[in-house]
Amino acid sequence: MATDSTKTEVGSYFISNYPPFSQWSEDYIDELNTAMHSAPRDGVPLGLYLHVPFCRKRCKFCYFRVYTDKNAQEVETYVSALTKEIELVSQTEAMGGRPFRFVYFGGGTPSFLSPKQLKRLEDRLRSSISWDQAEEVTFECEPGTLSESKVKALREMGVTRLSLGVENFFDSILEENGRAHLSKEVYRAWEWIEAAQFPNVNIDLIAGMVGETWDTWRENIKKVLEFSPESVTIYQMELPFNTVYSQDILGNKIETPVADWPMKRAWVSYAFDELAKAGYVVSSAYTMVKDPSKVNFSYRDNLFGGSDLLATGVASFGHISGVHYQNKTEWADYTGSLLEKGELPLKRAYRPTPEQLLIRETILLLKRGYLEADYFRQKFGVDILDKWSDIWKQYQEEGLVTVNGDRIELTRDGLLRADGLLPPFFEPQFQGVRYT
């Protein structure tokens, strides 16, 4: 029942929502507008996502909406559009005067912006919104874009979790995979980051980058342990349709250059073992943390649990009052006249049924490594142990989960292939459809 392919083939593997994005459409825009202009649901936390789509280079494995060719004036055009969108969003009834529980600056490369651009962005944002009450403010950084003054600026603007996209410590691997930074820039930035004393610093790695070997991987984990960040996130390289590598494979019919799934899982398992020896504990299928009482993943946990998320920026994804949505995906459409007319740049949406919301929370929360059945009884009136008893039985037989009373827990093998365990929970009409 679980996805069990060996070779890393073209197609999305990582699951971040349900139903699949390919099923969203313009047909739901009216429902989205109704949700935007209705009072929020009682007791539902609110988050904000800001998409900063600029990068110095496009990585060969990247599938996000990013731009590498924009000049300073175009960056200013985008920042103006983003702040105008947030001004409009802040005036919607769905905002409801709620404070943001979490804020996430993602990309792209938010740290592409200069300290002056960051300050202007912050000042303009704060004229409409505040994140002073947020329990987590995350900011993604590419090491080579950082300077001492920029790191200080991020701390001063209230960033509580800095996520550093290291991915690998070997220059040859970074260059082969199209990364903009080299390892020396990581070491240089780390001194500034430590001095700024962020409450949580996360280092991202990717298992299975082209050129990776056991020797390089072991050294990568050794170097991460020397840095000793509060959390370490390790993704397994995948090949969504719109990456450079995927286009090469599909267009030139070349063999996939990415390590196979058993190898990637072995590398992640080794990393988890080494991190555990150093005192880290599992926080999800991708993340280990040094101190669970200190490190908070508000963005992840609230999203997985059905929070509202106001998404801003080109191509960004959000959820409001039970409706999923995505913004316009092209530069001209996003930065164009809609915002000046006072209209939000909405592209497509989807209103999940109660059944689909149950499935969404089940599969996303399982990615943390465990489920508590009573949570679902209380929230949805459904016993997930009975509803999906055949799936749990098969996964137990395969050594992927354990079930003790109300608690369903992924084993190490289950953690290593968490996303591959999720499609069997999909409704029949979404089995086998393209995810994105």
Side-chain angles (χ1 to χ4, degrees), residues 203-362:
I203 283 182
D204 275 353
L205 295 178
I206 298 178
M209 293 180 79
V210 176
E212 194 78 80
T213 66
W214 264 113
D215 286 343
T216 60
W217 184 250
R218 290 189 186 97
E219 188 64 21
N220 278 319
I221 303 308
K222 178 182 175 183
K223 289 181 183 295
V224 165
L225 288 169
E226 290 171 358
F227 278 68
S228 191
E230 282 72 30
S231 63
V232 181
T233 300
I234 305 174
Y235 297 103
Q236 297 178 46
M237 174 83 90
E238 60 172 328
L239 292 169
F241 285 96
N242 61 336
T243 70
V244 171
Y245 282 136
S246 298
Q247 295 303 313
D248 287 346
I249 293 166
L250 295 173
N252 302 323
K253 306 300 182 185
I254 63 171
E255 276 298 306
T256 175
V258 178
D260 61 29
W261 289 108
M263 180 62 73
K264 288 182 289 191
R265 290 169 189 148
W267 284 336
V268 176
S269 187
Y270 170 82
F272 275 23
D273 285 341
E274 294 302 300
L275 287 162
K277 292 176 188 175
Y280 287 77
V281 297
V282 172
S283 176
S284 77
Y286 326 96
T287 304
M288 294 193 77
V289 299
K290 194 189 299 183
D291 182 354
S293 67
K294 175 187 173 187
V295 175
N296 185 358
F297 287 93
S298 180
Y299 175 81
R300 178 195 73 193
D301 293 342
N302 281 291
L303 272 190
F304 286 5
S307 74
D308 284 342
L309 176 69
L310 291 171
T312 58
V314 64
S316 58
F317 293 94
H319 322 279
I320 194 73
S321 298
V323 181
H324 302 337
Y325 69 96
Q326 184 184 24
N327 272 351
K328 298 285 188 183
T329 57
E330 300 300 326
W331 177 275
D333 293 334
Y334 177 76
T335 61
S337 60
L338 279 178
L339 287 167
E340 290 307 315
K341 294 177 185 175
E343 298 179 30
L344 292 172
L346 308 172
K347 178 178 175 62
R348 58 176 179 164
Y350 191 96
R351 179 181 283 282
T353 65
E355 170 79 359
Q356 290 164 349
L357 291 173
L358 167 65
I359 294 171
R360 179 183 184 273
E361 284 201 34
T362 300

Side-chain angles (χ1 to χ4, degrees), residues 68-319:
T68 60
D69 59 349
K70 301 301 182 184
N71 59 35
Q73 183 54 52
E74 289 169 313
V75 171
E76 175 57 29
T77 295
Y78 182 84
V79 169
S80 295
L82 181 63
T83 52
K84 178 63 176 178
E85 183 187 7
I86 289 174
E87 176 189 338
L88 294 175
V89 161
S90 72
Q91 297 167 357
T92 63
E93 290 84 345
M95 182 87 181
R98 289 178 288 175
F100 290 115
R101 182 170 293 183
F102 58 93
V103 175
Y104 196 106
F105 291 83
T109 307
S111 58
F112 179 92
L113 300 179
S114 70
K116 287 184 179 179
Q117 289 170 327
L118 281 172
K119 182 58 178 170
R120 284 204 303 272
L121 174 61
E122 179 189 2
D123 290 344
R124 289 154 77 174
L125 292 177
R126 286 189 180 276
S127 68
S128 301
I129 61 169
S130 169
W131 52 82
D132 293 340
Q133 296 184 57
E135 61 188 20
E136 178 184 86
V137 179
T138 300
F139 201 97
E140 293 182 346
C141 297
E142 184 254 284
T145 61
L146 293 178
S147 64
E148 187 172 13
S149 61
K150 190 179 296 187
V151 170
K152 287 180 179 178
L154 293 175
R155 190 70 187 96
E156 289 169 0
M157 69 185 281
V159 172
T160 64
R161 177 174 176 265
L162 189 146
S163 188
L164 192 65
V166 173
E167 321 309 3
N168 202 287
F169 285 93
F170 283 82
D171 289 348
S172 60
I173 294 175
L174 292 169
E175 290 173 334
E176 165 57 38
N177 289 265
R179 289 293 292 173
H181 78 274
L182 296 176
S183 58
K184 65 182 180 182
E185 293 167 309
V186 177
Y187 289 99
R188 184 180 63 187
W190 193 254
E191 293 183 13
W192 304 325
I193 291 168
E194 284 195 311
Q197 296 185 320
F198 291 89
N200 178 11
V201 179
N202 176 80
I203 283 182
D204 275 353
L205 295 178
I206 298 178
M209 293 180 79
V210 176
E212 194 78 80
T213 66
W214 264 113
D215 286 343
T216 60
W217 184 250
R218 290 189 186 97
E219 188 64 21
N220 278 319
I221 303 308
K222 178 182 175 183
K223 289 181 183 295
V224 165
L225 288 169
E226 290 171 358
F227 278 68
S228 191
E230 282 72 30
S231 63
V232 181
T233 300
I234 305 174
Y235 297 103
Q236 297 178 46
M237 174 83 90
E238 60 172 328
L239 292 169
F241 285 96
N242 61 336
T243 70
V244 171
Y245 282 136
S246 298
Q247 295 303 313
D248 287 346
I249 293 166
L250 295 173
N252 302 323
K253 306 300 182 185
I254 63 171
E255 276 298 306
T256 175
V258 178
D260 61 29
W261 289 108
M263 180 62 73
K264 288 182 289 191
R265 290 169 189 148
W267 284 336
V268 176
S269 187
Y270 170 82
F272 275 23
D273 285 341
E274 294 302 300
L275 287 162
K277 292 176 188 175
Y280 287 77
V281 297
V282 172
S283 176
S284 77
Y286 326 96
T287 304
M288 294 193 77
V289 299
K290 194 189 299 183
D291 182 354
S293 67
K294 175 187 173 187
V295 175
N296 185 358
F297 287 93
S298 180
Y299 175 81
R300 178 195 73 193
D301 293 342
N302 281 291
L303 272 190
F304 286 5
S307 74
D308 284 342
L309 176 69
L310 291 171
T312 58
V314 64
S316 58
F317 293 94
H319 322 279

